[in-house]
Amino acid sequence: MTAPTGDWTTGTIIELDHPTDRLVRLRLHVDDRVDHLPGQHYVVRLRAPDGYTAQRSYSIASDPDDPLLELMVECLPGGEVSGHLHDVAEVGDVLELRGPIGGWFVWEGDVPAICVAGGSGVVPIVAMARYARRLGLQDRLRVVVVARTWEELPYAAELQRYGAFIALTRENLTDRVAAPPYHDELAPYLDGVERAYVCGSVGFASYATRLLEESGIPADTIRVEQFGESG
């Protein structure tokens, strides 16, 4: 299926909350909305009175069947867009949006897959997991996530309910000692997978790709989406 791509439109913030001091969750009604695929993203553009604009891409967290568009934005140091969304935006504000965008980092349930995500890189994976749960495809999408602490992991409880393997690196989780995932922990999630998705910071993406390759996943089946320290 060809990935849908939308033009510039507007979206009204219907819900806004802060799960942590660095995150803001936005749920928007999007005018002339185009249905998205799990793994796609939107561009958010801010426009100042003098005409100056700043824009940033954010992955979609919502299931395609959700009537609202959900974004989870991490407020990064010096981030013009993320800072505004975190500190200034309010329910009722109208944002300029373009999307959905992207046709490579998407999962439609067509192949058994594993997702390995770090920190806020879990957002597009949440969309995939919600899609898989709604359609009863959890056995075709395995999820492994890594974060420093439970508090810093977006959607932590939802991912745990989904059945994701969660590795915390700065605190213990039940009887698991803080550490990145080990190869033997990853192995049960790899049986029969035909594609892998990696999402996170540049450093995390490099680590996760290497971990998958060392665990026997062919490099040409790994799809990577990474982000840097801007926003």
Side-chain angles (χ1 to χ4, degrees):
M1 176 180 176
T2 301
T5 300
D7 296 323
W8 283 105
T9 184
T10 55
T12 303
I13 301 175
I14 304 299
E15 301 174 24
L16 183 153
D17 58 64
H18 296 84
T20 73
D21 60 357
R22 292 192 64 183
L23 295 172
V24 58
R25 185 180 70 103
L26 306 162
R27 287 177 56 77
L28 305 103
H29 169 78
V30 179
D31 297 322
D32 304 316
R33 181 175 167 185
V34 176
D35 291 342
H36 70 272
L37 300 177
Q40 290 190 296
H41 61 275
Y42 266 79
V43 175
V44 178
R45 182 169 65 189
L46 303 179
R47 187 181 301 275
D50 64 0
Y52 173 78
T53 61
Q55 63 185 46
R56 179 70 170 169
S57 294
Y58 296 108
S59 295
I60 303 167
S62 42
D63 176 78
D65 198 48
D66 192 328
L68 298 179
L69 173 72
E70 183 170 326
L71 306 176
M72 179 75 77
V73 176
E74 181 179 10
C75 185
L76 299 174
E80 291 180 301
V81 180
S82 66
H84 177 89
L85 296 176
H86 186 275
D87 300 332
V88 181
E90 298 178 343
V91 170
D93 286 357
V94 177
L95 304 175
E96 295 183 51
L97 304 171
R98 185 167 70 88
I101 298 170
W104 187 66
F105 197 84
V106 298
W107 183 76
E108 300 177 71
D110 51 332
V111 297
I114 184 171
C115 303
V116 183
S120 58
V122 304
V123 176
I125 309 310
V126 167
M128 296 180 188
R130 289 173 169 177
Y131 176 78
R133 170 168 282 182
R134 175 169 59 87
L135 297 180
L137 300 175
Q138 295 99 312
D139 61 327
R140 296 177 69 82
L141 187 76
R142 298 83 181 265
V143 177
V144 174
V145 296
V146 184
R148 290 179 295 186
T149 67
W150 180 268
E151 177 68 20
E152 294 178 76
L153 177 61
Y155 303 103
E158 181 177 346
L159 288 163
Q160 187 178 58
R161 289 193 301 271
Y162 179 81
F165 175 78
I166 299 175
L168 302 181
T169 62
R170 300 286 180 87
E171 65 184 22
N172 298 344
L173 181 61
T174 61
D175 59 350
R176 186 184 188 277
V177 176
Y182 297 106
H183 289 84
D184 60 345
E185 292 177 316
L186 194 65
Y189 296 85
L190 298 175
D191 186 36
V193 304
E194 298 177 19
R195 188 182 300 156
Y197 296 88
V198 170
C199 190
S201 67
V202 174
F204 177 83
S206 176
Y207 153 77
T209 300
R210 184 172 65 252
L211 178 66
L212 286 166
E213 290 177 348
E214 291 172 353
S215 299
I217 299 298
D220 62 357
T221 67
I222 302 173
R223 301 187 180 189
V224 179
E225 186 168 275
Q226 59 191 28
F227 51 83
E229 288 295 315
S230 62

mmCIF file of all heavy atoms in Angstrom, residues 105-155:
data_model
loop_
_atom_site.group_PDB
_atom_site.id
_atom_site.type_symbol
_atom_site.label_atom_id
_atom_site.label_comp_id
_atom_site.label_asym_id
_atom_site.label_seq_id
_atom_site.Cartn_x
_atom_site.Cartn_y
_atom_site.Cartn_z
ATOM 1 N N PHE A 105 9.314 3.775 7.282
ATOM 2 C CA PHE A 105 9.285 3.351 8.684
ATOM 3 C C PHE A 105 7.832 3.149 9.124
ATOM 4 O O PHE A 105 7.326 3.796 10.037
ATOM 5 C CB PHE A 105 9.977 4.401 9.560
ATOM 6 C CG PHE A 105 10.355 3.901 10.935
ATOM 7 C CD1 PHE A 105 11.541 3.217 11.131
ATOM 8 C CD2 PHE A 105 9.534 4.125 12.022
ATOM 9 C CE1 PHE A 105 11.901 2.763 12.387
ATOM 10 C CE2 PHE A 105 9.886 3.682 13.284
ATOM 11 C CZ PHE A 105 11.070 2.997 13.476
ATOM 12 N N VAL A 106 7.136 2.264 8.425
ATOM 13 C CA VAL A 106 5.736 1.984 8.755
ATOM 14 C C VAL A 106 5.543 0.478 8.858
ATOM 15 O O VAL A 106 6.251 -0.301 8.218
ATOM 16 C CB VAL A 106 4.760 2.575 7.714
ATOM 17 C CG1 VAL A 106 4.870 4.085 7.659
ATOM 18 C CG2 VAL A 106 4.977 1.967 6.332
ATOM 19 N N TRP A 107 4.575 0.086 9.678
ATOM 20 C CA TRP A 107 4.223 -1.331 9.833
ATOM 21 C C TRP A 107 2.720 -1.469 9.715
ATOM 22 O O TRP A 107 1.971 -0.811 10.432
ATOM 23 C CB TRP A 107 4.696 -1.854 11.189
ATOM 24 C CG TRP A 107 4.427 -3.322 11.381
ATOM 25 C CD1 TRP A 107 5.108 -4.363 10.827
ATOM 26 C CD2 TRP A 107 3.388 -3.911 12.182
ATOM 27 N NE1 TRP A 107 4.568 -5.564 11.227
ATOM 28 C CE2 TRP A 107 3.504 -5.320 12.069
ATOM 29 C CE3 TRP A 107 2.372 -3.381 12.984
ATOM 30 C CZ2 TRP A 107 2.653 -6.202 12.725
ATOM 31 C CZ3 TRP A 107 1.513 -4.252 13.640
ATOM 32 C CH2 TRP A 107 1.658 -5.647 13.510
ATOM 33 N N GLU A 108 2.291 -2.328 8.793
ATOM 34 C CA GLU A 108 0.868 -2.527 8.535
ATOM 35 C C GLU A 108 0.403 -3.925 8.927
ATOM 36 O O GLU A 108 -0.686 -4.342 8.544
ATOM 37 C CB GLU A 108 0.561 -2.272 7.064
ATOM 38 C CG GLU A 108 0.901 -0.868 6.597
ATOM 39 C CD GLU A 108 0.652 -0.699 5.114
ATOM 40 O OE1 GLU A 108 -0.525 -0.674 4.715
ATOM 41 O OE2 GLU A 108 1.630 -0.607 4.351
ATOM 42 N N GLY A 109 1.227 -4.655 9.677
ATOM 43 C CA GLY A 109 0.867 -6.000 10.074
ATOM 44 C C GLY A 109 1.173 -7.043 9.028
ATOM 45 O O GLY A 109 0.789 -8.207 9.167
ATOM 46 N N ASP A 110 1.876 -6.646 7.970
ATOM 47 C CA ASP A 110 2.125 -7.545 6.853
ATOM 48 C C ASP A 110 3.216 -8.570 7.128
ATOM 49 O O ASP A 110 3.221 -9.644 6.536
ATOM 50 C CB ASP A 110 2.465 -6.740 5.597
ATOM 51 C CG ASP A 110 3.580 -5.715 5.844
ATOM 52 O OD1 ASP A 110 3.721 -5.247 6.990
ATOM 53 O OD2 ASP A 110 4.290 -5.373 4.880
ATOM 54 N N VAL A 111 4.162 -8.244 8.031
ATOM 55 C CA VAL A 111 5.249 -9.169 8.337
ATOM 56 C C VAL A 111 5.470 -9.209 9.846
ATOM 57 O O VAL A 111 5.250 -8.211 10.534
ATOM 58 C CB VAL A 111 6.567 -8.770 7.641
ATOM 59 C CG1 VAL A 111 6.430 -8.832 6.128
ATOM 60 C CG2 VAL A 111 7.018 -7.381 8.077
ATOM 61 N N PRO A 112 5.925 -10.349 10.376
ATOM 62 C CA PRO A 112 6.322 -10.395 11.782
ATOM 63 C C PRO A 112 7.516 -9.471 11.988
ATOM 64 O O PRO A 112 8.459 -9.470 11.190
ATOM 65 C CB PRO A 112 6.704 -11.862 12.007
ATOM 66 C CG PRO A 112 6.102 -12.615 10.867
ATOM 67 C CD PRO A 112 6.071 -11.670 9.719
ATOM 68 N N ALA A 113 7.467 -8.658 13.035
ATOM 69 C CA ALA A 113 8.504 -7.645 13.218
ATOM 70 C C ALA A 113 8.857 -7.473 14.689
ATOM 71 O O ALA A 113 8.067 -7.799 15.583
ATOM 72 C CB ALA A 113 8.050 -6.311 12.634
ATOM 73 N N ILE A 114 10.051 -6.930 14.911
ATOM 74 C CA ILE A 114 10.473 -6.530 16.246
ATOM 75 C C ILE A 114 10.792 -5.047 16.212
ATOM 76 O O ILE A 114 11.358 -4.545 15.233
ATOM 77 C CB ILE A 114 11.690 -7.335 16.745
ATOM 78 C CG1 ILE A 114 12.040 -6.936 18.190
ATOM 79 C CG2 ILE A 114 12.890 -7.184 15.818
ATOM 80 C CD1 ILE A 114 13.085 -7.807 18.843
ATOM 81 N N CYS A 115 10.411 -4.353 17.268
ATOM 82 C CA CYS A 115 10.730 -2.938 17.423
ATOM 83 C C CYS A 115 11.662 -2.784 18.621
ATOM 84 O O CYS A 115 11.389 -3.331 19.698
ATOM 85 C CB CYS A 115 9.469 -2.122 17.672
ATOM 86 S SG CYS A 115 8.209 -2.269 16.390
ATOM 87 N N VAL A 116 12.735 -2.029 18.433
ATOM 88 C CA VAL A 116 13.646 -1.720 19.529
ATOM 89 C C VAL A 116 13.746 -0.197 19.603
ATOM 90 O O VAL A 116 14.207 0.449 18.657
ATOM 91 C CB VAL A 116 15.039 -2.339 19.309
ATOM 92 C CG1 VAL A 116 15.936 -2.069 20.511
ATOM 93 C CG2 VAL A 116 14.925 -3.850 19.073
ATOM 94 N N ALA A 117 13.274 0.367 20.694
ATOM 95 C CA ALA A 117 13.190 1.823 20.794
ATOM 96 C C ALA A 117 13.803 2.296 22.102
ATOM 97 O O ALA A 117 13.774 1.597 23.117
ATOM 98 C CB ALA A 117 11.745 2.278 20.703
ATOM 99 N N GLY A 118 14.325 3.515 22.060
ATOM 100 C CA GLY A 118 14.940 4.104 23.243
ATOM 101 C C GLY A 118 14.310 5.430 23.601
ATOM 102 O O GLY A 118 14.111 6.295 22.735
ATOM 103 N N GLY A 119 13.944 5.625 24.877
ATOM 104 C CA GLY A 119 13.420 6.901 25.346
ATOM 105 C C GLY A 119 12.197 7.339 24.567
ATOM 106 O O GLY A 119 11.268 6.566 24.338
ATOM 107 N N SER A 120 12.199 8.601 24.124
ATOM 108 C CA SER A 120 11.056 9.120 23.381
ATOM 109 C C SER A 120 10.938 8.512 21.986
ATOM 110 O O SER A 120 9.950 8.750 21.286
ATOM 111 C CB SER A 120 11.139 10.649 23.279
ATOM 112 O OG SER A 120 12.344 11.050 22.652
ATOM 113 N N GLY A 121 11.906 7.696 21.601
ATOM 114 C CA GLY A 121 11.807 6.961 20.341
ATOM 115 C C GLY A 121 10.715 5.901 20.353
ATOM 116 O O GLY A 121 10.454 5.275 19.327
ATOM 117 N N VAL A 122 10.074 5.703 21.502
ATOM 118 C CA VAL A 122 8.981 4.725 21.555
ATOM 119 C C VAL A 122 7.714 5.232 20.884
ATOM 120 O O VAL A 122 6.805 4.438 20.610
ATOM 121 C CB VAL A 122 8.642 4.320 23.019
ATOM 122 C CG1 VAL A 122 9.875 3.793 23.729
ATOM 123 C CG2 VAL A 122 8.024 5.476 23.793
ATOM 124 N N VAL A 123 7.618 6.533 20.605
ATOM 125 C CA VAL A 123 6.338 7.100 20.156
ATOM 126 C C VAL A 123 5.787 6.409 18.904
ATOM 127 O O VAL A 123 4.626 5.970 18.901
ATOM 128 C CB VAL A 123 6.449 8.623 19.961
ATOM 129 C CG1 VAL A 123 5.145 9.175 19.400
ATOM 130 C CG2 VAL A 123 6.767 9.303 21.284
ATOM 131 N N PRO A 124 6.541 6.280 17.796
ATOM 132 C CA PRO A 124 5.952 5.598 16.641
ATOM 133 C C PRO A 124 5.681 4.125 16.910
ATOM 134 O O PRO A 124 4.788 3.530 16.297
ATOM 135 C CB PRO A 124 7.004 5.778 15.541
ATOM 136 C CG PRO A 124 8.291 5.970 16.286
ATOM 137 C CD PRO A 124 7.912 6.738 17.516
ATOM 138 N N ILE A 125 6.438 3.546 17.846
ATOM 139 C CA ILE A 125 6.228 2.144 18.203
ATOM 140 C C ILE A 125 4.911 1.985 18.955
ATOM 141 O O ILE A 125 4.225 0.971 18.826
ATOM 142 C CB ILE A 125 7.417 1.635 19.041
ATOM 143 C CG1 ILE A 125 8.751 1.943 18.341
ATOM 144 C CG2 ILE A 125 7.265 0.157 19.322
ATOM 145 C CD1 ILE A 125 8.836 1.535 16.895
ATOM 146 N N VAL A 126 4.547 2.995 19.746
ATOM 147 C CA VAL A 126 3.257 2.970 20.428
ATOM 148 C C VAL A 126 2.127 2.932 19.408
ATOM 149 O O VAL A 126 1.140 2.195 19.573
ATOM 150 C CB VAL A 126 3.121 4.177 21.380
ATOM 151 C CG1 VAL A 126 1.684 4.350 21.858
ATOM 152 C CG2 VAL A 126 4.059 4.016 22.573
ATOM 153 N N ALA A 127 2.236 3.715 18.338
ATOM 154 C CA ALA A 127 1.215 3.677 17.285
ATOM 155 C C ALA A 127 1.116 2.279 16.684
ATOM 156 O O ALA A 127 0.011 1.764 16.441
ATOM 157 C CB ALA A 127 1.531 4.707 16.202
ATOM 158 N N MET A 128 2.257 1.648 16.436
ATOM 159 C CA MET A 128 2.253 0.292 15.888
ATOM 160 C C MET A 128 1.619 -0.684 16.869
ATOM 161 O O MET A 128 0.841 -1.569 16.478
ATOM 162 C CB MET A 128 3.687 -0.136 15.558
ATOM 163 C CG MET A 128 4.363 0.674 14.478
ATOM 164 S SD MET A 128 6.064 0.078 14.186
ATOM 165 C CE MET A 128 6.694 1.342 13.080
ATOM 166 N N ALA A 129 1.963 -0.552 18.162
ATOM 167 C CA ALA A 129 1.431 -1.462 19.175
ATOM 168 C C ALA A 129 -0.076 -1.289 19.341
ATOM 169 O O ALA A 129 -0.813 -2.277 19.505
ATOM 170 C CB ALA A 129 2.152 -1.236 20.500
ATOM 171 N N ARG A 130 -0.555 -0.065 19.304
ATOM 172 C CA ARG A 130 -1.994 0.181 19.408
ATOM 173 C C ARG A 130 -2.721 -0.421 18.208
ATOM 174 O O ARG A 130 -3.807 -1.001 18.349
ATOM 175 C CB ARG A 130 -2.256 1.686 19.508
ATOM 176 C CG ARG A 130 -1.829 2.279 20.846
ATOM 177 C CD ARG A 130 -1.938 3.792 20.876
ATOM 178 N NE ARG A 130 -1.782 4.302 22.237
ATOM 179 C CZ ARG A 130 -1.768 5.586 22.560
ATOM 180 N NH1 ARG A 130 -1.884 6.520 21.620
ATOM 181 N NH2 ARG A 130 -1.636 5.959 23.825
ATOM 182 N N TYR A 131 -2.145 -0.277 17.051
ATOM 183 C CA TYR A 131 -2.707 -0.852 15.826
ATOM 184 C C TYR A 131 -2.738 -2.371 15.930
ATOM 185 O O TYR A 131 -3.759 -3.008 15.624
ATOM 186 C CB TYR A 131 -1.840 -0.393 14.651
ATOM 187 C CG TYR A 131 -2.189 -0.939 13.295
ATOM 188 C CD1 TYR A 131 -3.260 -0.433 12.568
ATOM 189 C CD2 TYR A 131 -1.411 -1.932 12.712
ATOM 190 C CE1 TYR A 131 -3.553 -0.910 11.300
ATOM 191 C CE2 TYR A 131 -1.693 -2.422 11.447
ATOM 192 C CZ TYR A 131 -2.761 -1.908 10.741
ATOM 193 O OH TYR A 131 -3.047 -2.383 9.483
ATOM 194 N N ALA A 132 -1.622 -2.962 16.395
ATOM 195 C CA ALA A 132 -1.543 -4.418 16.531
ATOM 196 C C ALA A 132 -2.572 -4.935 17.527
ATOM 197 O O ALA A 132 -3.247 -5.947 17.279
ATOM 198 C CB ALA A 132 -0.140 -4.822 16.967
ATOM 199 N N ARG A 133 -2.722 -4.240 18.648
ATOM 200 C CA ARG A 133 -3.687 -4.683 19.661
ATOM 201 C C ARG A 133 -5.118 -4.606 19.123
ATOM 202 O O ARG A 133 -5.913 -5.522 19.329
ATOM 203 C CB ARG A 133 -3.527 -3.842 20.927
ATOM 204 C CG ARG A 133 -4.636 -4.068 21.951
ATOM 205 C CD ARG A 133 -4.296 -3.453 23.282
ATOM 206 N NE ARG A 133 -3.350 -4.274 24.014
ATOM 207 C CZ ARG A 133 -2.906 -3.994 25.240
ATOM 208 N NH1 ARG A 133 -3.315 -2.898 25.854
ATOM 209 N NH2 ARG A 133 -2.058 -4.800 25.851
ATOM 210 N N ARG A 134 -5.450 -3.530 18.444
ATOM 211 C CA ARG A 134 -6.817 -3.379 17.928
ATOM 212 C C ARG A 134 -7.160 -4.488 16.945
ATOM 213 O O ARG A 134 -8.296 -4.980 16.927
ATOM 214 C CB ARG A 134 -6.982 -2.011 17.259
ATOM 215 C CG ARG A 134 -8.338 -1.806 16.597
ATOM 216 C CD ARG A 134 -8.568 -0.364 16.174
ATOM 217 N NE ARG A 134 -7.571 0.132 15.250
ATOM 218 C CZ ARG A 134 -7.651 -0.018 13.919
ATOM 219 N NH1 ARG A 134 -8.675 -0.665 13.378
ATOM 220 N NH2 ARG A 134 -6.719 0.482 13.127
ATOM 221 N N LEU A 135 -6.201 -4.899 16.124
ATOM 222 C CA LEU A 135 -6.452 -5.900 15.098
ATOM 223 C C LEU A 135 -6.097 -7.313 15.550
ATOM 224 O O LEU A 135 -6.194 -8.258 14.755
ATOM 225 C CB LEU A 135 -5.662 -5.553 13.827
ATOM 226 C CG LEU A 135 -6.052 -4.230 13.156
ATOM 227 C CD1 LEU A 135 -5.215 -3.998 11.914
ATOM 228 C CD2 LEU A 135 -7.533 -4.208 12.807
ATOM 229 N N GLY A 136 -5.677 -7.480 16.811
ATOM 230 C CA GLY A 136 -5.323 -8.802 17.307
ATOM 231 C C GLY A 136 -4.051 -9.354 16.703
ATOM 232 O O GLY A 136 -3.918 -10.571 16.501
ATOM 233 N N LEU A 137 -3.088 -8.474 16.423
ATOM 234 C CA LEU A 137 -1.832 -8.884 15.766
ATOM 235 C C LEU A 137 -0.627 -8.806 16.704
ATOM 236 O O LEU A 137 0.504 -8.692 16.235
ATOM 237 C CB LEU A 137 -1.582 -7.988 14.543
ATOM 238 C CG LEU A 137 -2.644 -8.008 13.446
ATOM 239 C CD1 LEU A 137 -2.308 -6.988 12.362
ATOM 240 C CD2 LEU A 137 -2.769 -9.404 12.840
ATOM 241 N N GLN A 138 -0.863 -8.892 18.024
ATOM 242 C CA GLN A 138 0.247 -8.745 18.966
ATOM 243 C C GLN A 138 1.342 -9.790 18.730
ATOM 244 O O GLN A 138 2.512 -9.524 18.998
ATOM 245 C CB GLN A 138 -0.240 -8.840 20.415
ATOM 246 C CG GLN A 138 -1.164 -7.708 20.831
ATOM 247 C CD GLN A 138 -2.613 -8.109 20.759
ATOM 248 O OE1 GLN A 138 -3.057 -8.665 19.758
ATOM 249 N NE2 GLN A 138 -3.365 -7.827 21.810
ATOM 250 N N ASP A 139 0.964 -10.971 18.230
ATOM 251 C CA ASP A 139 1.962 -12.013 17.998
ATOM 252 C C ASP A 139 2.872 -11.676 16.823
ATOM 253 O O ASP A 139 3.931 -12.292 16.659
ATOM 254 C CB ASP A 139 1.284 -13.360 17.757
ATOM 255 C CG ASP A 139 0.374 -13.359 16.534
ATOM 256 O OD1 ASP A 139 -0.231 -12.303 16.250
ATOM 257 O OD2 ASP A 139 0.281 -14.408 15.865
ATOM 258 N N ARG A 140 2.503 -10.687 16.023
ATOM 259 C CA ARG A 140 3.304 -10.300 14.860
ATOM 260 C C ARG A 140 4.159 -9.064 15.117
ATOM 261 O O ARG A 140 4.924 -8.653 14.251
ATOM 262 C CB ARG A 140 2.405 -10.054 13.647
ATOM 263 C CG ARG A 140 1.671 -11.302 13.180
ATOM 264 C CD ARG A 140 0.734 -11.010 12.026
ATOM 265 N NE ARG A 140 1.437 -10.680 10.785
ATOM 266 C CZ ARG A 140 1.936 -11.568 9.946
ATOM 267 N NH1 ARG A 140 1.841 -12.863 10.228
ATOM 268 N NH2 ARG A 140 2.532 -11.191 8.834
ATOM 269 N N LEU A 141 4.009 -8.457 16.290
ATOM 270 C CA LEU A 141 4.795 -7.263 16.608
ATOM 271 C C LEU A 141 5.340 -7.382 18.024
ATOM 272 O O LEU A 141 4.609 -7.249 18.998
ATOM 273 C CB LEU A 141 3.951 -5.999 16.478
ATOM 274 C CG LEU A 141 4.743 -4.700 16.636
ATOM 275 C CD1 LEU A 141 5.558 -4.414 15.366
ATOM 276 C CD2 LEU A 141 3.824 -3.517 16.930
ATOM 277 N N ARG A 142 6.643 -7.621 18.141
ATOM 278 C CA ARG A 142 7.305 -7.722 19.436
ATOM 279 C C ARG A 142 8.002 -6.396 19.720
ATOM 280 O O ARG A 142 8.559 -5.766 18.809
ATOM 281 C CB ARG A 142 8.328 -8.859 19.434
ATOM 282 C CG ARG A 142 7.732 -10.267 19.193
ATOM 283 C CD ARG A 142 7.543 -10.552 17.730
ATOM 284 N NE ARG A 142 6.968 -11.848 17.426
ATOM 285 C CZ ARG A 142 7.690 -12.934 17.131
ATOM 286 N NH1 ARG A 142 9.009 -12.879 17.156
ATOM 287 N NH2 ARG A 142 7.093 -14.056 16.813
ATOM 288 N N VAL A 143 7.985 -5.983 20.949
ATOM 289 C CA VAL A 143 8.493 -4.655 21.308
ATOM 290 C C VAL A 143 9.512 -4.760 22.438
ATOM 291 O O VAL A 143 9.259 -5.394 23.468
ATOM 292 C CB VAL A 143 7.341 -3.724 21.729
ATOM 293 C CG1 VAL A 143 7.882 -2.364 22.161
ATOM 294 C CG2 VAL A 143 6.344 -3.558 20.573
ATOM 295 N N VAL A 144 10.652 -4.118 22.235
ATOM 296 C CA VAL A 144 11.704 -4.009 23.246
ATOM 297 C C VAL A 144 12.023 -2.530 23.411
ATOM 298 O O VAL A 144 12.298 -1.841 22.414
ATOM 299 C CB VAL A 144 12.976 -4.776 22.824
ATOM 300 C CG1 VAL A 144 14.110 -4.543 23.820
ATOM 301 C CG2 VAL A 144 12.676 -6.272 22.694
ATOM 302 N N VAL A 145 11.959 -2.020 24.631
ATOM 303 C CA VAL A 145 12.225 -0.599 24.846
ATOM 304 C C VAL A 145 13.268 -0.423 25.946
ATOM 305 O O VAL A 145 13.358 -1.221 26.881
ATOM 306 C CB VAL A 145 10.939 0.186 25.195
ATOM 307 C CG1 VAL A 145 9.969 0.145 24.035
ATOM 308 C CG2 VAL A 145 10.275 -0.360 26.443
ATOM 309 N N VAL A 146 14.030 0.650 25.808
ATOM 310 C CA VAL A 146 15.107 0.954 26.738
ATOM 311 C C VAL A 146 14.958 2.394 27.211
ATOM 312 O O VAL A 146 14.708 3.294 26.407
ATOM 313 C CB VAL A 146 16.491 0.763 26.070
ATOM 314 C CG1 VAL A 146 17.610 0.977 27.080
ATOM 315 C CG2 VAL A 146 16.600 -0.621 25.430
ATOM 316 N N ALA A 147 15.097 2.618 28.502
ATOM 317 C CA ALA A 147 15.039 3.965 29.061
ATOM 318 C C ALA A 147 15.899 4.009 30.316
ATOM 319 O O ALA A 147 16.236 2.967 30.885
ATOM 320 C CB ALA A 147 13.600 4.359 29.391
ATOM 321 N N ARG A 148 16.228 5.209 30.731
ATOM 322 C CA ARG A 148 17.022 5.328 31.952
ATOM 323 C C ARG A 148 16.202 4.958 33.183
ATOM 324 O O ARG A 148 16.645 4.189 34.025
ATOM 325 C CB ARG A 148 17.585 6.744 32.069
ATOM 326 C CG ARG A 148 18.666 7.039 31.045
ATOM 327 C CD ARG A 148 19.203 8.442 31.153
ATOM 328 N NE ARG A 148 18.179 9.438 30.843
ATOM 329 C CZ ARG A 148 18.430 10.744 30.761
ATOM 330 N NH1 ARG A 148 19.652 11.199 30.991
ATOM 331 N NH2 ARG A 148 17.465 11.583 30.445
ATOM 332 N N THR A 149 14.986 5.510 33.288
ATOM 333 C CA THR A 149 14.116 5.227 34.427
ATOM 334 C C THR A 149 12.691 5.029 33.940
ATOM 335 O O THR A 149 12.333 5.447 32.821
ATOM 336 C CB THR A 149 14.129 6.375 35.457
ATOM 337 O OG1 THR A 149 13.526 7.540 34.870
ATOM 338 C CG2 THR A 149 15.551 6.711 35.903
ATOM 339 N N TRP A 150 11.868 4.437 34.776
ATOM 340 C CA TRP A 150 10.450 4.244 34.454
ATOM 341 C C TRP A 150 9.764 5.594 34.237
ATOM 342 O O TRP A 150 8.979 5.774 33.312
ATOM 343 C CB TRP A 150 9.780 3.475 35.585
ATOM 344 C CG TRP A 150 8.326 3.204 35.384
ATOM 345 C CD1 TRP A 150 7.282 3.974 35.799
ATOM 346 C CD2 TRP A 150 7.741 2.078 34.724
ATOM 347 N NE1 TRP A 150 6.085 3.406 35.444
ATOM 348 C CE2 TRP A 150 6.335 2.242 34.778
ATOM 349 C CE3 TRP A 150 8.269 0.944 34.096
ATOM 350 C CZ2 TRP A 150 5.456 1.310 34.237
ATOM 351 C CZ3 TRP A 150 7.384 0.021 33.546
ATOM 352 C CH2 TRP A 150 6.010 0.205 33.614
ATOM 353 N N GLU A 151 10.075 6.563 35.066
ATOM 354 C CA GLU A 151 9.447 7.875 34.989
ATOM 355 C C GLU A 151 9.746 8.560 33.664
ATOM 356 O O GLU A 151 8.908 9.305 33.133
ATOM 357 C CB GLU A 151 9.930 8.745 36.155
ATOM 358 C CG GLU A 151 9.412 10.171 36.159
ATOM 359 C CD GLU A 151 7.922 10.275 36.432
ATOM 360 O OE1 GLU A 151 7.353 9.318 36.988
ATOM 361 O OE2 GLU A 151 7.328 11.310 36.078
ATOM 362 N N GLU A 152 10.920 8.327 33.105
ATOM 363 C CA GLU A 152 11.327 8.991 31.875
ATOM 364 C C GLU A 152 10.835 8.288 30.614
ATOM 365 O O GLU A 152 11.020 8.820 29.512
ATOM 366 C CB GLU A 152 12.848 9.107 31.821
ATOM 367 C CG GLU A 152 13.445 10.017 32.877
ATOM 368 C CD GLU A 152 14.958 10.048 32.808
ATOM 369 O OE1 GLU A 152 15.501 10.710 31.909
ATOM 370 O OE2 GLU A 152 15.602 9.383 33.648
ATOM 371 N N LEU A 153 10.221 7.124 30.747
ATOM 372 C CA LEU A 153 9.787 6.354 29.583
ATOM 373 C C LEU A 153 8.357 6.718 29.211
ATOM 374 O O LEU A 153 7.417 6.416 29.953
ATOM 375 C CB LEU A 153 9.880 4.856 29.871
ATOM 376 C CG LEU A 153 9.381 3.923 28.765
ATOM 377 C CD1 LEU A 153 10.194 4.114 27.479
ATOM 378 C CD2 LEU A 153 9.430 2.474 29.232
ATOM 379 N N PRO A 154 8.135 7.356 28.071
ATOM 380 C CA PRO A 154 6.760 7.651 27.657
ATOM 381 C C PRO A 154 5.959 6.367 27.466
ATOM 382 O O PRO A 154 6.473 5.366 26.966
ATOM 383 C CB PRO A 154 6.941 8.385 26.319
ATOM 384 C CG PRO A 154 8.350 8.868 26.317
ATOM 385 C CD PRO A 154 9.126 7.860 27.102
ATOM 386 N N TYR A 155 4.713 6.398 27.898
ATOM 387 C CA TYR A 155 3.795 5.274 27.714
ATOM 388 C C TYR A 155 4.275 3.994 28.410
ATOM 389 O O TYR A 155 3.945 2.880 27.976
ATOM 390 C CB TYR A 155 3.564 4.988 26.218
ATOM 391 C CG TYR A 155 3.044 6.156 25.436
ATOM 392 C CD1 TYR A 155 3.872 6.909 24.603
ATOM 393 C CD2 TYR A 155 1.695 6.521 25.515
ATOM 394 C CE1 TYR A 155 3.390 7.978 23.875
ATOM 395 C CE2 TYR A 155 1.199 7.599 24.783
ATOM 396 C CZ TYR A 155 2.058 8.320 23.967
ATOM 397 O OH TYR A 155 1.574 9.385 23.237
#
